[in-house]
Short mmCIF file of all heavy atoms in Angstrom, two decimals:
data_model
loop_
_atom_site.label_atom_id
_atom_site.label_comp_id
_atom_site.label_asym_id
_atom_site.label_seq_id
_atom_site.Cartn_x
_atom_site.Cartn_y
_atom_site.Cartn_z
N SER A 1 11.39 14.57 -3.70
CA SER A 1 11.14 13.19 -3.28
C SER A 1 10.18 13.12 -2.10
O SER A 1 10.12 14.08 -1.28
CB SER A 1 12.45 12.53 -2.88
OG SER A 1 13.38 12.48 -3.94
N LEU A 2 9.49 12.03 -2.03
CA LEU A 2 8.64 11.72 -0.89
C LEU A 2 8.71 10.20 -0.65
O LEU A 2 8.93 9.42 -1.59
CB LEU A 2 7.19 12.12 -1.12
CG LEU A 2 6.82 13.59 -1.01
CD1 LEU A 2 5.37 13.76 -1.43
CD2 LEU A 2 6.98 14.12 0.37
N ARG A 3 8.48 9.79 0.58
CA ARG A 3 8.38 8.38 0.91
C ARG A 3 7.07 8.14 1.62
O ARG A 3 6.79 8.68 2.67
CB ARG A 3 9.52 7.96 1.83
CG ARG A 3 9.60 6.44 2.07
CD ARG A 3 10.59 6.07 3.12
NE ARG A 3 10.93 4.65 3.10
CZ ARG A 3 11.17 3.99 4.21
NH1 ARG A 3 11.17 4.57 5.37
NH2 ARG A 3 11.47 2.68 4.10
N LEU A 4 6.25 7.35 0.95
CA LEU A 4 4.94 6.97 1.48
C LEU A 4 5.02 5.69 2.29
O LEU A 4 5.83 4.82 1.96
CB LEU A 4 3.92 6.83 0.38
CG LEU A 4 3.77 7.98 -0.62
CD1 LEU A 4 2.64 7.71 -1.59
CD2 LEU A 4 3.51 9.29 0.13
N SER A 5 4.21 5.58 3.29
CA SER A 5 4.08 4.36 4.10
C SER A 5 2.62 3.95 4.16
O SER A 5 1.70 4.76 4.16
CB SER A 5 4.61 4.56 5.49
OG SER A 5 5.93 4.98 5.51
N CYS A 6 2.42 2.63 4.25
CA CYS A 6 1.08 2.06 4.43
C CYS A 6 1.18 0.96 5.47
O CYS A 6 1.88 -0.04 5.26
CB CYS A 6 0.52 1.53 3.15
SG CYS A 6 -0.96 0.60 3.35
N ALA A 7 0.55 1.18 6.61
CA ALA A 7 0.49 0.22 7.68
C ALA A 7 -0.78 -0.61 7.58
O ALA A 7 -1.86 -0.04 7.53
CB ALA A 7 0.60 0.90 9.02
N ALA A 8 -0.62 -1.90 7.52
CA ALA A 8 -1.77 -2.78 7.37
C ALA A 8 -2.00 -3.57 8.68
O ALA A 8 -1.04 -3.98 9.34
CB ALA A 8 -1.57 -3.78 6.23
N SER A 9 -3.25 -3.77 9.03
CA SER A 9 -3.58 -4.60 10.19
C SER A 9 -4.77 -5.46 9.86
O SER A 9 -5.56 -5.13 8.97
CB SER A 9 -3.87 -3.70 11.40
OG SER A 9 -4.93 -2.83 11.20
N GLY A 10 -4.90 -6.56 10.57
CA GLY A 10 -6.04 -7.42 10.41
C GLY A 10 -5.93 -8.45 9.27
O GLY A 10 -6.86 -9.10 8.95
N ILE A 11 -4.70 -8.56 8.72
CA ILE A 11 -4.43 -9.54 7.65
C ILE A 11 -3.09 -10.23 7.94
O ILE A 11 -2.21 -9.65 8.59
CB ILE A 11 -4.38 -8.81 6.29
CG1 ILE A 11 -3.33 -7.70 6.30
CG2 ILE A 11 -5.74 -8.34 5.89
CD1 ILE A 11 -3.03 -7.12 4.92
N PRO A 12 -2.94 -11.42 7.36
CA PRO A 12 -1.59 -12.06 7.36
C PRO A 12 -0.76 -11.43 6.28
O PRO A 12 -0.52 -11.98 5.21
CB PRO A 12 -1.89 -13.52 7.08
CG PRO A 12 -3.13 -13.47 6.29
CD PRO A 12 -3.93 -12.28 6.76
N PHE A 13 -0.24 -10.24 6.56
CA PHE A 13 0.36 -9.35 5.60
C PHE A 13 1.42 -10.03 4.70
O PHE A 13 1.45 -9.79 3.51
CB PHE A 13 1.03 -8.17 6.38
CG PHE A 13 1.70 -7.15 5.51
CD1 PHE A 13 1.01 -6.16 4.88
CD2 PHE A 13 3.11 -7.21 5.37
CE1 PHE A 13 1.65 -5.23 4.12
CE2 PHE A 13 3.75 -6.26 4.62
CZ PHE A 13 3.03 -5.25 3.92
N SER A 14 2.23 -10.84 5.32
CA SER A 14 3.43 -11.33 4.59
C SER A 14 3.05 -12.23 3.42
O SER A 14 3.86 -12.45 2.50
CB SER A 14 4.35 -12.10 5.56
OG SER A 14 3.68 -13.24 6.04
N ILE A 15 1.81 -12.77 3.38
CA ILE A 15 1.50 -13.72 2.30
C ILE A 15 0.88 -13.00 1.05
O ILE A 15 0.69 -13.64 0.00
CB ILE A 15 0.53 -14.82 2.78
CG1 ILE A 15 -0.88 -14.26 3.02
CG2 ILE A 15 1.11 -15.51 3.99
CD1 ILE A 15 -1.93 -15.34 3.28
N TYR A 16 0.64 -11.67 1.21
CA TYR A 16 -0.05 -11.00 0.15
C TYR A 16 0.88 -10.16 -0.69
O TYR A 16 1.75 -9.48 -0.14
CB TYR A 16 -1.11 -10.09 0.71
CG TYR A 16 -2.35 -10.77 1.19
CD1 TYR A 16 -2.58 -11.04 2.54
CD2 TYR A 16 -3.36 -11.16 0.27
CE1 TYR A 16 -3.71 -11.69 2.96
CE2 TYR A 16 -4.49 -11.82 0.69
CZ TYR A 16 -4.67 -12.07 2.04
OH TYR A 16 -5.79 -12.72 2.46
N ALA A 17 0.68 -10.19 -2.02
CA ALA A 17 1.24 -9.12 -2.83
C ALA A 17 0.53 -7.82 -2.48
O ALA A 17 -0.66 -7.80 -2.19
CB ALA A 17 1.01 -9.46 -4.32
N MET A 18 1.31 -6.73 -2.50
CA MET A 18 0.77 -5.43 -2.14
C MET A 18 0.99 -4.44 -3.25
O MET A 18 1.96 -4.57 -4.02
CB MET A 18 1.39 -4.90 -0.86
CG MET A 18 1.11 -5.74 0.39
SD MET A 18 -0.65 -5.67 0.85
CE MET A 18 -0.86 -3.94 1.25
N GLY A 19 0.14 -3.45 -3.35
CA GLY A 19 0.27 -2.45 -4.40
C GLY A 19 0.02 -1.05 -3.90
O GLY A 19 -0.69 -0.86 -2.90
N TRP A 20 0.59 -0.09 -4.59
CA TRP A 20 0.28 1.28 -4.43
C TRP A 20 -0.53 1.78 -5.67
O TRP A 20 -0.14 1.48 -6.79
CB TRP A 20 1.58 2.15 -4.31
CG TRP A 20 2.14 2.11 -2.94
CD1 TRP A 20 3.19 1.37 -2.50
CD2 TRP A 20 1.74 2.94 -1.80
NE1 TRP A 20 3.41 1.59 -1.16
CE2 TRP A 20 2.57 2.58 -0.73
CE3 TRP A 20 0.75 3.90 -1.63
CZ2 TRP A 20 2.43 3.19 0.54
CZ3 TRP A 20 0.61 4.55 -0.41
CH2 TRP A 20 1.44 4.15 0.69
N TYR A 21 -1.55 2.50 -5.37
CA TYR A 21 -2.41 3.03 -6.41
C TYR A 21 -2.56 4.55 -6.25
O TYR A 21 -2.28 5.07 -5.20
CB TYR A 21 -3.88 2.41 -6.22
CG TYR A 21 -3.93 0.91 -6.25
CD1 TYR A 21 -3.51 0.15 -5.18
CD2 TYR A 21 -4.42 0.25 -7.38
CE1 TYR A 21 -3.57 -1.26 -5.18
CE2 TYR A 21 -4.44 -1.15 -7.41
CZ TYR A 21 -4.03 -1.85 -6.32
OH TYR A 21 -4.07 -3.24 -6.34
N ARG A 22 -2.96 5.17 -7.31
CA ARG A 22 -3.24 6.60 -7.21
C ARG A 22 -4.45 7.00 -8.02
O ARG A 22 -4.82 6.31 -8.98
CB ARG A 22 -1.97 7.40 -7.66
CG ARG A 22 -1.63 7.34 -9.12
CD ARG A 22 -0.33 8.10 -9.37
NE ARG A 22 0.06 8.04 -10.79
CZ ARG A 22 1.23 8.49 -11.23
NH1 ARG A 22 2.14 8.97 -10.38
NH2 ARG A 22 1.46 8.44 -12.54
N GLN A 23 -5.05 8.08 -7.58
CA GLN A 23 -6.26 8.54 -8.22
C GLN A 23 -6.32 10.06 -8.21
O GLN A 23 -6.02 10.69 -7.20
CB GLN A 23 -7.50 7.99 -7.48
CG GLN A 23 -8.85 8.26 -8.14
CD GLN A 23 -9.98 7.57 -7.45
OE1 GLN A 23 -9.97 7.29 -6.25
NE2 GLN A 23 -11.02 7.23 -8.23
N VAL A 24 -6.68 10.59 -9.36
CA VAL A 24 -6.98 12.03 -9.47
C VAL A 24 -8.46 12.20 -9.66
O VAL A 24 -9.15 11.28 -10.16
CB VAL A 24 -6.16 12.70 -10.61
CG1 VAL A 24 -4.68 12.58 -10.35
CG2 VAL A 24 -6.51 12.07 -11.96
N PRO A 25 -9.01 13.36 -9.27
CA PRO A 25 -10.46 13.54 -9.37
C PRO A 25 -10.96 13.30 -10.77
O PRO A 25 -10.35 13.77 -11.78
CB PRO A 25 -10.64 15.00 -8.94
CG PRO A 25 -9.51 15.26 -8.05
CD PRO A 25 -8.36 14.48 -8.61
#
């Protein structure tokens, strides 16, 4: 298991839907 975090700044965070994405080469 792992737990990822994403800290956002410069936006009114609470009003946005947020997503996690991933990419392989």
Side-chain angles (χ1 to χ4, degrees):
S1 298
L2 284 173
R3 188 188 194 216
L4 307 184
S5 300
C6 170
S9 59
I11 56 172
F13 179 82
S14 64
I15 72 171
Y16 284 100
M18 294 295 295
W20 279 98
Y21 302 77
R22 67 186 181 189
Q23 186 173 29
V24 297

